[in-house]
Every structure is written in structure tokens, then in C-alpha cells.
Amino acid sequence: MNPEKTEKTSKIDLNRNDMPRQSPEIRRHNFNEVALGYTEEIAVKEAKRCLQCKKPKCKTGCPVEIDIPDFISCIVKGDFSSGIKKLKEKNCLPAVCGRVCPQEAQCESQCILANKKGEVAIGRLERFLADWEAKEGKVDIPTKAKPTGKKIAIVGSGPAGVTVAGDLILLGHEVTIFEALHKAGGVLVYGIPEFRLPKAIVAREVDYIRQLGAKVITDYVVGKTRSIDELLKEFDAVFVGTGAGLPWFMDIPGENLNGVYSANEYLTRMNLMRGYQFPMSSTPVKKHVRVAVVGGGNVAMDSARTALRMGADESRIIYRRSHAELPARLEESENAEEEGVIFNMLTLPVRYIGDENGWLKEIECLKMELGEPDASGRRRPIEIPNSNFRMEMDAVVCAIGNSPNPLVPSTTPGLQTTRRGTLVADQETGKTTKERVWAGGDIVTGAATVILAMGAGRKAARSIHEYLETGKW
Amino acid sequence: MNKIIERKMIVPNMHLLTLEAPDIASKVKPGQFVIVRANDEGERIPLSVADWDEEKGTVTIIFMEVGASTGALACLAAGDSVATCVGPLGNETEIGNFGTVMCVGGCYGIGSLYPVVKALKKAGNRVIMVFEARSNYLIYWVDKYIKLADKIFNVTRDGSLGLKGHISRLPDIINGLPNPPDRVIVNGCTFLMARTSEMTRDPSIPTVVNLNPIMIDGTGMCGVCRVTINGKMKFACVDGPEFSGHEVDWKEFLSRRKAYLEEEVLFFRRSEPKQAVHKEGKCQA
Ligand SMILES: Cc1cc2nc3c(=O)[nH]c(=O)nc-3n(C[C@H](O)[C@H](O)[C@H](O)COP(=O)(O)OP(=O)(O)OC[C@H]3O[C@@H](n4cnc5c(N)ncnc54)[C@H](O)[C@@H]3O)c2cc1C
Ligand SMILES: Cc1cc2nc3c(=O)[nH]c(=O)nc-3n(C[C@H](O)[C@H](O)[C@H](O)COP(=O)(O)OP(=O)(O)OC[C@H]3O[C@@H](n4cnc5c(N)ncnc54)[C@H](O)[C@@H]3O)c2cc1C
Ligand code: SF4
Ligand code: FES
């Protein structure tokens, strides 16, 4: 064996540093954040594992091209304030992305060390820097360009809208965000639960945009309170970032029984309306004993884990494919499993059965098996005939997906939509089929991710700025 | 935040609330509603718009105090604010020249029908009003309706005004008319809407109801307001709230509406006492 080679490889530390977390037995009973974040010491130790590649592959896996080795090297030096600055050049919501991005499918999957199953924990390091900045309490307010006198209306305050607002206000434009709900933040406040993304973090990011001078008007439904055409009279440009908030149901018998929820309703009750504090908060929530969540994505995991925290004895995920096809982030399905969520794979609900008072009592399911891969490349689930069986349940949360809310498209002549109800918009610029209107995020892609929504926002902001400068559509 | 211009009890348990909401006042149409949160802890509750003044930039709501959220609203006074008033939500009432329209109102529906009746009259209809209440002293806004309606009937449970009994007396009214109405529009409690729809099904008079399911966002996001119309799932907040009363699955509707009955009671039993409204022997509400 070549002694030199042993020397070299032995320098590579393949042991990812774990992030301290609340233990499963404790956390399944509270809404506090599950992951506790790296300490400075662990962060530096993890950062030192990075090889500082000349051609960093991790960067190619990042939808917003963060200078990953650069910010990691700042951590190694202990220069956290330069690190966060570096991060924020490309990502205006690092505290959010560090927590909810599917890094295992993005930057970390591309990391050179991933071949050896020892990829650098980029997401955790990102989160560390963002939390460090918040703890220090001195958030840098960057200097704004001089006022241009141009006004932009942003519809929706999710990650897409907030990104557009942050970018354009720094360029000297006047920005107003219109939000339908009473709190800004989009899915980050009404969907993703407190134990995964504390609401204080989202509030901090929205406050930051406010501090920069953006106006945030809540309780304002565009398409109802004012139409896009009316906004165009007052504003030079409009960005539509209304997300994909329309819940799907399965169109099976019994879906309107009491005890059957859409994930949006279930999570909104718990998060936005703070149902977990009921009866101190006034939006009522039911105490359910046996809860089944239909679906296998992040939304399903969030619902199943919320159910446990609300005191359910039994919380199940019912998914029609197998474990390997679960679309949720790996970390979240693992967390769910640790907490005691039961996974019923290859199972499809076909009917909900109620009691005499219209409350859910049982669900009837079919067993499935996997066939040939379908268009999405995943193996297609096929029903096994006569495999019906029933489970006693007092609640079902339907988390099978969302499509864009038609409210804005249907009230705006000239805005073209696809067959799936998404808005037609240019991939590079976010320009829609209507002059002076841009769009981005879930309303264009269909339900996707925070980072993709932000990426789309960034591109749209660039295009809006260009238009405002040149007047050319 | 919307400032309260006026809040008063107009008949026992029934309150009028006028809010500053210029954006809504310039946009709202008959049959639409707003979602209100009394305070920052508050639940979001849907309430129909009963009147508005575009020039003054105000909207008026009539609400019945039935639970925690309407209770919190009833404690507010002019000068206070509500945390949220968003709208106008839902679709407007279909208005046309139908001929003779019978408008049946009970409870808060007496208020929410007012803009509908105004619009119907403007479109050239003959309007027959039917007010339903437990007793005569619970009927309000008669002075407003006298100027609009061609005829007014009353049904009271104690017989203190008009016909004695339930809305089941409606056929007596309809049969007493030279011709049955061309359309019936009902606003108010679920029972009133369901019963009226039952009674107009056979003579097959088109009947429009303004459904009032449990709601959260009012924009089509949560799906809690789903109702079955003609066998199809609809979201009342965006597809309605008006539907044909003959197509509503009332049994399901009633059961969904009662979903949180127990919890609403629980809320009152939380340890924190409700703000005292009686001070020095005088009611402050
Ligand atoms: C429960 C759940 C868990 C998730 N977990 C993850 C995760 O772990 N990682 C990840 O990357 N992604 C996750 N996602 C997906 C991610 O949250 C979304 O892709 C992202 O938020 C989309 O951003 P957006 O800005 O396009 O829209 P949204 O975040 O949906 O924001 C749209 C906003 O527009 C408002 N709006 C809508 N219509 C109107 C109107 N007419 N007028 C005014 N305002 C309006 C809405 O109220 C909302 O606030 C999750 C989603 C859910 C629901
Ligand atoms: C589109 C729409 C428009 C509405 N317009 C009005 C309006 O203009 N004025 C108004 O007073 N209400 C209206 N409602 C009903 C109103 O939203 C509820 O009364 C309110 O949410 C009750 O909240 P709460 O917390 O005070 O009572 P809760 O504690 O939620 O309810 C207490 C109990 O009373 C029952 N209950 C509540 N409201 C009614 C009712 N109206 N009739 C019969 N039983 C009821 C509930 O089922 C529950 O069992 C409307 C509802 C919808 C969906
Ligand atoms: S690919 Fe991995 S090792 Fe290389 S720079 Fe990126 S994070 Fe560091
Ligand atoms: S109230 Fe949420 S969808 Fe209608």
C-alpha cells in the first residue's frame, strides 16, 4: 500500500456532525423546534470537513448558486459575520432555507464527499450562520439605491413575494406587498409547523423587509378587494406570487364527513390560528385519538407529526407507493418515524365511513403493489383486487396536493394559464402573458419548494428592474 | 385594523357594527361577506355585509351574539378597532328582472337581505318580504324595508305579529298570493334556509340561499367550507355563498356546521375570565 495515499485520505473526515435535537419521546408532546442547531464548536468542526474544492460541485446543486465553499471557509476562520454576508448575497432567507430546503437532493447531493456518504452538512451550516446573526441581534441594513419613484405591487407574501420585495427595494423602488391573510409569510406561516420552522423566524424575515421600507398590507385579497387591472393603474409593475393554495380532495365517498380535513385546513388551524394553544386561542380544534394522513410529502409529514403533538394516540401516514418513493425530505420522514408515526405503505383509501351524526368512524383502504415506472420515473402503484380492509379512525387529513388558487387568474383578463391552472410565465424573466405583470413561485410551477420560489422571485425582480429602467417590456 | 364607527344592540342579542373599510365599501355587492377578527387572538368569522356607504367608506354588519367570537365583537365600542376586516368575499347575488321575488329573512338575514332587496327593486322587481322571528320585538329595520318592499309579511313563533308559528307557515303566505313568486331568496339561520327550500321544491319556485358554513380563510385555501351541491363538492367561500336551495345537501350541511359545538363551549370554560361588562351595577356593553 502506498503510504502517501493513506496519509491523504485519512485527512478526509467523513463523519458528518449530528445536529442536537430534542429526543423523540419529549418532542412528540411539544411544539418547540425539533432541531436545536449547531453550537459554534460543532459548526467549526463541520466546516473544517469541507475540502474547499477548486470547482465546487455543491454550488451547481444550489438553485440560487450560493458561494458554498466561501461561506464555509468564513466559518472555519470563525468570521461568522462575513459568512452571513456572503450567504445573504444570494439568499435573503437563510434561516428559513437552512431549516426547510431539501439539501440532500440539492447542494449536499452534489458535494464531492457524497460519494463516500460523508457530504458536508451545508444546510446545517447555513442555518448556523443565520441563527448566529439573529442571536447577535445586529442585522445589517444594507444601503438602498436612491429613490426611482417607481412603484411595484407584490401579490402574496410567501417566499417568492418577499424575495422580489427585498431585491427591488434595495434598487430604490417603492414596494407594496398585498397579503390575503392577516399574517405575512405565506406557507411559512400558515403551513409549515412551529416545531419545524418557528414563526418568530418568519416574522423576523418579514420585519426585515419592512425595515427596508416595504409596505406590507395584510387582509387584502387581490381579485376581490382590488383586481390586478386596478393595481396596474396605481403601480408601474405587478408581481403575482400567490402560491398553490387550493387543496385537492380524492373524490371518494365520505369526504365531507366531519373529521375529514384538507391538510391546509388542519395546518392552518394549528399554525396560523394557533390551535395548539386552544382554548387560550379562540379557533376551535378537535381532540382526535386516531388520525390518518393521506399522502407522502412534507405536508403529510407535518400533518402527521402535528397530530401526535395535539395528543393523538395513533398517527398514521397512508401512502399508495412504497417508502422509497416518499416525496418528503428524508430528515422529515425519519423524524416522523422516530416520533412514532406509523407508516402504511402501498395503501389507498377508497371510502370514508361515518357514524349516524356525520362523524368519521372508519376508513376503507385497498392494498397496492408497484408496477412499471410511470412518467415521473417512479414505479406506478397498482391496486390489488379484493384487498379491501378497514381501519378505525376519527380523523383523516388529506395531504395529496394543492393547485394554484384561481382567484387571481380568473379575475385578470389577459393572464394565460396552463391546463394545470398554473400561470404561464417566462422561465428566465417571470414575465406573464400580460404586460407589466410578472409571476413566480408555486403559482407558476405548481407546489414546489421555498428555494425555487425564491429563485423565481429573484429572476423576476431582475426583469422588473430592467423594465422600470428601460421602459421596454 | 379597522376602526369601529358604531356598535349597538338593535334588538336583543342582535348587534349592528359599522366599520371603517373604504376599500371594501367601494367594491362590495349584495350577497357578499367579509371576514372579521375581533382581536389578535381572535377566530376569523364570516359575516354578511348588510349595508355600506361608499362616500363615508364604511360597511355595516348585523350579527347575532352566539358564541365566543361574536361575543368578543359585542364587547367592542365606537372608537375601538377590529384586528381584521377583509373582503368583499364570495360572489354577489344574481340580480335580474325576475318579476316577483319573495325575500325571506330571519335573524341576521333580515339585515343581509337589505342590499339584495335594494338591488332587486332597482332592477324592476316586485318584492315581497317575509320576516321570521321568535317574537315581534326581534324584527328590525322595518322602517328601511317599508320604503322598498311592495308587501311585508311576518311570521312569529308566539304570534305577536303576523302569522303564528314557524317558517313552515310559508305555504300559507304563498297560497294566499294571486300568483306564486318567480323566485325566493332566503337569508338567515340554517334551519330557515333548509326549511324554506323544502317548501318551495314542490311548487318548484327557484330558491336561492346564502350558505353560512364554518370558514377560515374565505379565499378557497382551506376547504372547510365545502358543501355538496347537486352531488358535487363546492367551496362556499369562492363558489358561493349563494346556491340553489334545492341542490344543497342539507343533512350534511347541518352536521358540518355543528362540528365544533363542544369546543365552542370549552372556550368559555378556560381559566381566564371574560372581560367584565358590568361595572358598578351598570352594564357597560
Ligand atoms: C405544510 C407544507 C410543508 C412544506 N415543507 C416544505 C419544506 O420542508 N421545504 C420546502 O422547500 N418547501 C416546503 N413546502 C413548499 C413551500 O412552502 C412552497 O413551495 C413555497 O412556500 C411557495 O412559495 P410562494 O411564495 O410561491 O407561495 P406561498 O408560500 O404559498 O405564498 C403565497 C401567499 O399569497 C397569498 N395569496 C394568495 N392569493 C392571494 C390573493 N388573491 N391576494 C393576496 N394574497 C394572496 C397567500 O395567502 C400566501 O400568503 C411546504 C409546503 C407546505 C404546505
Ligand atoms: C357567508 C356567511 C355569512 C354570514 N353572515 C352572518 C351575519 O351577517 N351575521 C351573523 O350573525 N352571522 C353570520 N354568519 C354566521 C357567523 O359566521 C357565525 O355566527 C359566527 O361564526 C359564530 O361565531 P362564534 O364564535 O360567535 O360562535 P360559535 O361559538 O362559533 O357558535 C356557537 C354555536 O352557535 C351556532 N351558530 C353560530 N352561528 C349561527 C347562526 N347564524 N345560526 C344558527 N346557529 C349558529 C354554531 O353552530 C355553534 O353551535 C355568516 C356565516 C357565513 C359563512
Ligand atoms: S463540494 Fe463539498 S467539499 Fe467541495 S466545496 Fe462543496 S461542500 Fe466543500
Ligand atoms: S373558507 Fe377556506 S376554503 Fe372556504
Side-chain angles (χ1 to χ4, degrees):
Chain A
M1 198 197 255
N2 180 342
E4 227 189 278
K5 202 173 167 198
T6 335
E7 171 78 70
K8 228 176 165 177
T9 36
S10 71
K11 264 197 198 154
I12 301 176
D13 177 359
L14 286 175
N15 294 315
R16 266 164 80 97
N17 287 284
D18 270 339
M19 181 163 49
R21 286 179 302 166
Q22 285 195 68
S23 78
E25 301 76 49
I26 295 183
R27 70 177 191 246
R28 62 172 284 179
H29 299 297
N30 70 47
F31 273 86
N32 301 336
E33 198 175 3
V34 166
L36 304 170
Y38 279 162
T39 59
E40 283 188 17
E41 209 186 331
I42 310 179
V44 173
K45 196 165 155 225
E46 180 64 25
K48 281 186 176 154
R49 292 179 53 237
C50 170
L51 304 180
Q52 293 294 316
C53 304
K54 287 253 158 48
K55 283 192 186 142
K57 284 181 68 196
C58 53
K59 208 174 141 179
T60 63
C62 174
V64 296
E65 296 181 6
I66 295 176
D67 266 317
I68 295 170
D70 263 24
F71 91 72
I72 293 184
S73 78
C74 293
I75 302 182
V76 173
K77 288 184 222 134
D79 183 2
F80 304 139
S81 93
S82 302
I84 184 74
K85 242 185 230 140
K86 240 303 59 83
L87 246 180
K88 280 195 162 172
E89 277 170 17
K90 293 286 164 70
N91 183 337
C92 59
L93 302 171
V96 174
C97 290
R99 286 174 166 80
V100 305
C101 273
Q103 289 99 2
E104 77 273 10
Q106 299 177 0
C107 53
E108 293 180 8
S109 74
Q110 298 299 313
C111 172
I112 196 88
L113 297 179
N115 300 334
K116 300 203 166 69
K117 299 220 182 316
E119 61 275 20
V120 175
I122 303 168
R124 294 171 185 175
L125 291 173
E126 177 181 26
R127 167 187 167 146
F128 165 76
L129 283 177
D131 288 357
W132 173 84
E133 186 192 37
K135 209 168 70 204
E136 289 293 291
K138 36 175 202 269
V139 175
D140 256 358
I141 298 281
T143 39
K144 288 197 275 183
K146 72 176 193 311
T148 60
K150 304 283 187 193
K151 293 167 73 181
I152 301 106
I154 292 170
V155 187
S157 64
V162 165
T163 305
V164 176
D167 285 4
L168 290 178
I169 199 144
L170 289 180
L171 294 166
H173 307 300
E174 225 179 277
V175 172
T176 309
I177 299 182
F178 295 98
E179 168 56 49
L181 294 170
H182 57 266
K183 245 196 225 130
V187 165
L188 309 183
V189 291
Y190 78 71
I192 305 181
E194 178 77 17
F195 57 83
R196 202 147 72 79
L197 178 63
K199 299 309 137 213
I201 288 168
V202 184
R204 204 163 72 210
E205 304 295 357
V206 175
D207 271 350
Y208 170 74
I209 299 291
R210 276 206 188 95
Q211 275 174 37
L212 288 177
K215 263 192 255 167
V216 182
I217 302 183
T218 50
D219 297 323
Y220 201 102
V221 184
V222 174
K224 285 288 177 186
T225 317
R226 287 292 176 272
S227 66
I228 298 274
D229 283 315
E230 285 167 304
L231 292 180
L232 283 170
K233 285 186 199 140
E234 198 189 322
F235 294 88
D236 299 290
V238 175
F239 175 80
V240 182
T242 48
L246 190 82
W248 291 343
F249 287 91
M250 296 173 71
D251 202 11
I252 59 177
E255 268 187 317
N256 285 358
L257 287 169
N258 284 322
V260 181
Y261 303 82
S262 76
N264 279 0
E265 181 197 346
Y266 191 69
L267 292 171
T268 301
R269 258 181 209 283
M270 302 307 165
N271 293 313
L272 182 71
M273 304 315 294
R274 301 198 287 121
Y276 61 92
Q277 292 166 339
F278 183 77
M280 296 323 279
S281 62
S282 55
T283 299
V285 293
K286 280 276 162 202
K287 173 127 175 47
H288 293 297
V289 182
R290 270 188 291 272
V291 182
V293 177
V294 185
N298 288 320
V299 184
M301 300 304 147
D302 285 347
S303 306
R305 298 170 70 196
T306 298
L308 282 181
R309 285 161 174 78
M310 292 304 296
D313 289 350
E314 185 184 302
S315 170
R316 287 175 187 273
I317 290 279
I318 297 191
Y319 183 54
R320 61 189 179 129
R321 303 182 198 243
S322 76
H323 240 290
E325 286 85 11
L326 278 178
R329 287 182 69 202
L330 187 65
E331 183 177 331
E332 303 311 336
S333 58
E334 281 174 3
N335 277 336
E337 210 153 2
E338 271 181 24
E339 286 164 16
V341 172
I342 303 163
F343 286 70
N344 281 102
M345 295 293 132
L346 293 167
T347 305
L348 180 77
V350 289
R351 183 155 78 105
Y352 301 133
I353 301 148
D355 65 15
E356 60 283 4
N357 296 316
W359 277 93
L360 178 75
K361 190 173 76 181
E362 273 184 308
I363 71 177
E364 185 173 317
C365 299
L366 265 182
K367 285 272 178 213
M368 312 289 277
E369 61 189 355
L370 289 180
E372 294 299 304
D374 63 9
S376 72
R378 296 178 301 177
R379 292 180 63 193
R380 204 161 54 88
I382 305 168
E383 297 173 5
I384 304 177
N386 302 321
S387 61
N388 303 43
F389 66 102
R390 290 184 179 193
M391 284 191 270
E392 250 179 63
M393 282 298 151
D394 56 352
V396 166
V397 178
C398 192
I400 58 164
N402 286 315
S403 50
N405 192 316
L407 206 58
V408 167
S410 70
T411 53
T412 314
L415 267 191
Q416 243 180 58
T417 52
T418 66
R419 249 185 313 132
R420 292 156 55 222
T422 54
L423 280 185
V424 174
D426 185 276
Q427 271 218 337
E428 285 314 307
T429 61
K431 281 180 181 170
T432 64
T433 50
K434 189 179 175 80
E435 219 171 296
R436 294 199 285 136
V437 181
W438 283 257
D442 282 2
I443 177 85
V444 173
T445 54
T449 59
V450 172
I451 193 73
L452 288 176
M454 286 178 51
R458 175 132 297 163
K459 285 181 186 164
R462 209 175 291 150
S463 167
I464 294 172
H465 180 62
E466 205 177 284
Y467 166 79
L468 295 174
E469 295 272 280
T470 62
K472 271 202 275 251
W473 170 251
Chain B
M1 295 278 269
N2 299 71
K3 216 172 105 198
I4 296 175
I5 305 298
E6 187 180 13
R7 204 278 309 145
K8 66 177 182 204
M9 200 194 277
I10 47 171
V11 294
N13 222 27
M14 195 70 72
H15 300 256
L16 174 147
L17 179 71
T18 299
L19 296 168
E20 198 174 77
D23 286 336
I24 301 174
S26 67
K27 233 7 213 288
V28 63
K29 297 278 186 333
Q32 290 189 300
F33 63 96
V34 290
I35 283 191
V36 176
R37 258 181 346 134
N39 53 51
D40 250 333
E41 298 301 307
E43 183 185 7
R44 299 170 61 97
I45 59 165
L47 298 166
S48 310
V49 178
D51 205 358
W52 59 87
D53 186 327
E54 191 176 344
E55 259 162 47
K56 290 194 191 133
T58 60
V59 298
T60 296
I61 289 154
I62 302 284
F63 69 93
M64 179 157 84
E65 191 180 343
V66 288
S69 307
T70 44
L73 282 181
C75 283
L76 298 172
D80 294 343
S81 298
V82 293
T84 288
C85 176
V86 54
L89 300 171
N91 299 307
E92 58 191 278
T93 307
E94 185 195 348
I95 301 288
N97 191 340
F98 304 113
T100 301
V101 182
M102 176 177 274
C103 292
V104 182
C107 179
Y108 70 81
I110 298 179
S112 63
L113 272 177
Y114 178 63
V116 177
V117 172
K118 266 207 291 199
L120 285 172
K121 283 308 294 180
K122 209 166 153 200
N125 294 282
R126 208 173 101 81
V127 175
I128 299 172
M129 290 304 304
V130 178
F131 294 131
E132 192 256 9
R134 241 181 317 116
S135 190
N136 64 346
Y137 65 89
L138 295 172
I139 296 172
Y140 54 94
W141 278 14
V142 177
D143 51 332
K144 286 189 166 207
Y145 280 105
I146 279 179
K147 295 182 207 137
L148 286 173
D150 297 277
K151 202 152 179 43
I152 297 182
F153 291 95
N154 295 285
V155 183
T156 51
R157 245 158 283 170
D158 61 2
S160 51
L161 188 67
L163 293 176
K164 181 175 160 123
H166 271 287
I167 196 58
S168 345
R169 299 291 307 268
L170 197 66
D172 297 338
I173 298 177
I174 293 178
N175 295 338
L177 297 173
N179 295 301
D182 299 292
R183 173 175 284 241
V184 172
I185 301 178
V186 210
N187 280 14
C189 72
T190 311
F191 179 78
L192 180 77
M193 294 193 284
R195 279 295 286 146
T196 304
S197 304
E198 239 169 72
M199 290 177 295
T200 56
R201 188 189 301 275
D202 200 22
S204 128
I205 306 170
T207 298
V208 178
V209 295
N210 194 301
L211 291 186
N212 50 7
I214 295 170
M215 292 190 180
I216 298 179
D217 59 299
T219 65
M221 183 269 276
C222 73
V224 67
C225 63
R226 59 194 192 277
V227 291
T228 300
I229 306 295
N230 224 353
K232 291 219 172 61
M233 184 191 289
K234 298 277 177 195
F235 289 3
C237 68
V238 285
D239 300 323
E242 301 216 330
F243 295 101
S244 157
H246 300 154
E247 295 180 351
V248 176
D249 180 339
W250 289 106
K251 187 165 168 258
E252 173 189 287
F253 185 80
L254 281 160
S255 116
R256 285 188 68 75
R257 222 179 167 280
K258 284 193 292 216
Y260 289 97
L261 211 60
E262 286 166 37
E263 285 72 19
E264 302 289 1
V265 177
L266 191 66
F267 179 80
F268 283 111
R269 284 209 250 121
R270 64 190 183 157
S271 49
E272 186 190 312
K274 204 177 149 186
Q275 200 186 336
V277 286
H278 290 270
K279 266 195 211 140
E280 291 146 23
K282 277 192 201 133
C283 180
Q284 306 283 307

